[in-house]
């Protein structure tokens, strides 16, 4: 049988006060809590943040940066010429390949092949070299318009 301690046992009659935890700031922003406070008449603080809810960016610095770029660089980059577009399409169709299959063979996304065939792509010599190798057609001599 376990033995009891030899000391005197007494009771502590001092009151213990337990406080409610303060609500977290995230809980205060909860729409349910805010609506409950509004219904009960409790004060609710609302602060409008500067440019809150707008999808606008600073326009002045962008305009100046654009002007600076236009002075030092050409306005637009060259696109794929019509000859190259047609050569890619013709060679691909002769080999009975889809754009997706060609993209897999050159390790690029199908979107890249589509942009080249639509003439929207900026010529990249590495990609053109891959296409030349797979399709067996010369493309790099006629990239610019």
């Amino acid at each position: 049988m376990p033995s009891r301690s030899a000391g005197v046992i007494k009771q502590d009659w001092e009151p213990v006060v337990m406080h409610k935890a303060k609500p977290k700031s995230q809980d205060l922003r909860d729409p349910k809590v805010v609506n409950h406070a509004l219904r009960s008449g409790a004060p609710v603080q609302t602060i409008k943040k500067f440019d809150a809810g707008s999808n606008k960016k600073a326009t002045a610095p962008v305009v100046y940066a654009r002007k600076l770029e236009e002075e030092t660089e050409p306005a637009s980059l060259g696109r794929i010429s019509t000859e190259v577009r047609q050569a890619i399409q013709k060679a691909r169709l002769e080999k009975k390949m889809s754009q997706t299959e060609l993209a897999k063979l050159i390790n690029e996304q199908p979107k890249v092949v589509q942009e080249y065939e639509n003439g929207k792509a900026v010529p990249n010599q590495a990609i053109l070299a891959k296409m030349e190798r797979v399709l067996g057609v010369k493309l790099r001599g006629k990239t610019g318009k």
Side-chain angles (χ1 to χ4, degrees):
M1 198 170 202
S3 63
R4 294 188 183 204
S5 64
V8 180
I9 299 174
K10 34 181 186 172
Q11 292 183 348
D12 187 12
W13 291 100
E14 290 185 32
V16 176
V17 179
M18 301 193 63
H19 296 285
K20 202 174 191 181
K22 288 184 179 180
K24 296 178 184 173
S25 64
Q26 187 177 9
D27 294 338
L28 292 175
R29 282 184 257 139
D30 185 30
K32 291 180 182 178
V33 175
V34 173
N35 286 337
H36 179 68
L38 287 171
R39 282 189 214 111
S40 65
V44 177
Q45 181 182 7
T46 57
I47 300 172
K48 180 165 173 43
K49 293 183 179 179
F50 179 73
D51 280 346
S54 66
N55 195 15
K56 297 178 183 177
K57 294 183 179 179
T59 56
V62 175
V63 171
Y64 295 130
R66 185 175 180 189
K67 283 183 182 177
L68 185 66
E69 281 183 16
E70 287 175 355
E71 290 175 3
T72 59
E73 296 180 10
S76 65
L77 298 171
R79 301 281 182 220
I80 292 290
S81 69
T82 310
E83 299 169 353
V84 176
R85 290 174 38 202
Q86 291 173 349
I88 293 170
Q89 274 183 338
K90 185 178 177 184
R92 180 179 59 80
L93 292 174
E94 283 177 359
K95 293 210 172 197
K96 296 183 177 156
M97 278 189 224
S98 67
Q99 289 180 344
T100 309
E101 290 169 347
L102 176 60
K104 284 181 184 176
L105 289 172
I106 65 170
N107 292 328
E108 294 290 339
Q109 294 181 351
K111 179 181 172 188
V112 173
V113 175
Q114 185 179 11
E115 286 176 351
Y116 272 82
E117 288 190 3
N118 290 338
K120 295 179 181 177
V122 175
N124 182 342
Q125 297 302 317
I127 294 175
L128 287 172
K130 291 178 192 178
M131 285 185 182
E132 283 180 352
R133 182 176 38 82
V134 171
L135 297 173
V137 178
K138 179 150 175 47
L139 302 171
R140 286 185 281 181
K142 37 191 167 180
T143 56
K145 273 193 173 178

